[in-house]
Amino acid sequence: MSRKAEQNRVVHQDNQVAVEQTSIYDDSLLPPAEELSKLKELDPDIINWVKKRTEIEQDARIEFNQGKIRLMNKNMKHVFIENVICILAAFIIIVSGILFSSYFIYKGLNVEGTIFGGSTLVIAAMVLIRWRSNKEKE
């Protein structure tokens, strides 16, 4: 709960004019004491009403923040599961590439098996290097 004030000024320069703009942001839940005393003169029970409304507002803000935290936790869990699935898929692709390469060599296709296995390893290394460099940028 804070009060923030911004003020801009008028600047005259070579037939150009900039306009002053003042903004005050009051994040406090309670009105100032002077205003409360004036309101109490109008209605003696207004202080209890203001206190009750302030409690409701504070509870709503707390619930809103807890909702944001729950949403972020849910998002983090989904991202984690997504990353695990991607890693498993990459592992399966790499292992299957090496297994197919071994199968080609077993069947007597040495050149094809070597090219298939080598290209699998090179592509896997390139993907891992790019993935790591993207993570560092974030």
Side-chain angles (χ1 to χ4, degrees):
M1 313 313 160
S2 65
R3 185 178 195 138
K4 179 181 176 185
E6 295 179 1
Q7 181 177 8
N8 302 322
R9 300 179 186 227
V10 176
V11 177
H12 297 279
Q13 185 178 26
D14 299 330
N15 294 334
Q16 294 180 351
V17 177
V19 179
E20 178 179 332
Q21 183 179 17
T22 302
S23 301
I24 297 175
Y25 304 101
D26 190 3
D27 196 20
S28 177
L29 295 176
L30 290 172
E34 301 83 28
E35 188 175 332
L36 283 174
S37 64
K38 290 178 184 177
L39 289 172
K40 189 174 182 180
E41 290 174 8
L42 293 174
D43 184 6
D45 195 37
I46 195 77
I47 301 297
N48 291 330
W49 183 83
V50 169
K51 288 190 327 188
K52 188 186 336 176
R53 296 304 302 170
T54 302
E55 289 174 4
I56 292 171
E57 174 69 23
Q58 184 63 30
D59 291 342
R61 288 182 185 203
I62 291 171
E63 180 61 33
F64 177 75
N65 288 334
Q66 288 174 346
K68 285 184 1 182
I69 290 171
R70 282 192 298 270
L71 185 62
M72 288 178 63
N73 283 337
K74 186 177 178 181
N75 185 31
M76 286 174 55
K77 286 178 186 176
H78 283 122
V79 168
F80 176 75
I81 292 170
E82 187 177 291
N83 286 340
V84 169
I85 290 171
C86 288
I87 289 171
L88 288 175
F91 178 75
I92 290 171
I93 291 170
I94 291 169
V95 169
S96 63
I98 292 173
L99 289 176
F100 280 126
S101 172
S102 301
Y103 178 74
F104 287 154
I105 292 173
Y106 175 74
K107 286 296 188 178
L109 303 170
N110 293 338
V111 174
E112 291 85 354
T114 305
I115 290 173
F116 195 78
S119 63
T120 300
L121 292 177
V122 168
I123 290 172
M126 286 175 39
V127 167
L128 290 175
I129 289 171
R130 284 187 183 172
W131 180 67
R132 177 176 276 182
S133 65
N134 287 342
K135 288 290 184 183
E136 289 174 359
K137 288 179 184 177
E138 291 177 3

